Amino acid sequence: MVRLGAWCDVETEDEARQRLLAGAAKGDDRPPADHGHPGPRPGRFVPLRFALAAGMPVQDPGGIRFRVEEFAVLAGGRRIRLHSERGFTLSAVRGDGVSSGLDPWQGLTLESLESDVRTTVLPDDAEDTGEDHPWEWLSELLRVQGIEASAEQLRDVPYDVEFSDRLHRRVPAGA
């Protein structure tokens, strides 16, 4: 193992729709359980597959959705994807709740995105442990793919953030 990292790309409306359709096909569009609580139910649940079929937008028009994949690079140069289920959204909504006419890309830099990517891959208990990565989990993801690397070994390899060509074309480096 010579390197670990995270790769980030912007997710288009069409890509988000395809991801959600794939999840709906697996039955991931069930209504949330109410656990028998009679409290208010502000809206009628519409199964995702019906919303998608109706052409409803799946992304906030005032936001940008990013997907994040973590990877490992082996000594021979082979690159292995460890997982791809993480992501984050940046919104044009400001403190006053206004987003009309604001460009969510305005002021965005690769450096600011790198900070967001690193936050996205933090372990859930980072505040308690002080760890910047879930080393044991990453080690297990490698082990499932037939690569032995302990959490201690992973702590010693460089960790980089990379951006897709689309992001390099769209977002400037530097402030």
Side-chain angles (χ1 to χ4, degrees), residues 45-56:
F45 176 76
V46 177
L48 180 60
R49 65 181 172 277
F50 296 126
L52 292 171
M56 296 170 68

Side-chain angles (χ1 to χ4, degrees), residues 30-44:
R30 296 176 303 269
D34 66 5
H35 303 290
H37 298 293
R41 306 249 339 183
R44 195 176 130 240

Side-chain angles (χ1 to χ4, degrees), residues 10 13 16 35 50 60 87 108 128-129 131 135 143 175:
V10 65
E13 176 74 18
H35 303 290
F50 296 126
D60 174 7
L108 196 60
D128 298 329
T129 65
E131 295 283 1
W135 301 116
R143 193 172 5 268

Side-chain angles (χ1 to χ4, degrees), residues 136-156:
E136 292 292 337
W137 181 60
L138 294 174
S139 175
E140 181 58 29
L141 292 174
L142 284 163
R143 193 172 5 268
V144 166
Q145 297 192 48
I147 299 154
E148 293 298 323
S150 70
E152 293 74 29
Q153 290 169 319
L154 296 180
R155 281 184 183 92
D156 292 336

